[in-house]
Amino acid sequence: MVFSSEPIGPVVRVGYGEDAHRLAAGHSLILGGISVPDAALGTVAHSDGDAVLHAVADALLSGVALGDIGDYFPDTDPLWAGLDSRAILGRVLELVRERGYTPVNIALVVTMDKPRLGPLRAQIARNVAALLGLSESEVGVSFKTSEGLAPAHVQTRVTALLTQLQD
Ligand code: C5P
Ligand code: MG
């Protein structure tokens, strides 16, 4: 896919990303690069199924209008099978910086019924922050249940604020 290379502005831009995965027994559950202990259900996915890092990557790409991760890491490509999502996010960060922008802060919401994720909030925030070159206070992490409407499902939604890199 070819994206426009025309100069983009203004100084700050907002991005938004989502990701969802089906959950099933016998799979691991990785969120924000953190392996969730004692999860009865894990993500069914082509890559490592990290719904947090995938949505963060899409939020960053959308902020600079560079499409989404499927354009760079197609899930039909065997090369990306089992891919560590930290590598996806690292490449996306490079693309965003090549476009002249860098993240300022992000806000992410994970909707999932079980297990309780609250105890992992700080760990997830710290890990996502480290991957983005941000501090923990620049990564807001919220959890919601689906109120039983989607028990075998994880959904993440992310907003990102980006600012222009200084020369
Ligand atoms: O979605 P709900 O309003 O019922 O969530 C109530 C609380 O449960 C929130 O404070 C949220 O942080 C927490 N929660 C959690 N782990 C989840 C879902 C919700 O810790 N998987
Ligand atoms: Mg509620």
Side-chain angles (χ1 to χ4, degrees), residues 112-119 121 142-147:
M112 178 170 201
D113 284 353
K114 284 179 187 165
R116 300 299 283 181
L117 295 167
R121 192 190 313 270
S142 310
F143 303 116
K144 299 305 293 180
T145 67
S146 77
E147 298 279 353

Side-chain angles (χ1 to χ4, degrees), residues 19-52:
D19 193 39
H21 283 282
R22 193 162 63 82
L23 301 173
H27 293 260
S28 56
L29 179 63
I30 300 173
L31 295 173
I34 302 298
S35 188
V36 178
D38 305 322
L41 305 177
T43 43
V44 180
H46 185 67
S47 69
D48 65 8
D50 191 326
V52 168

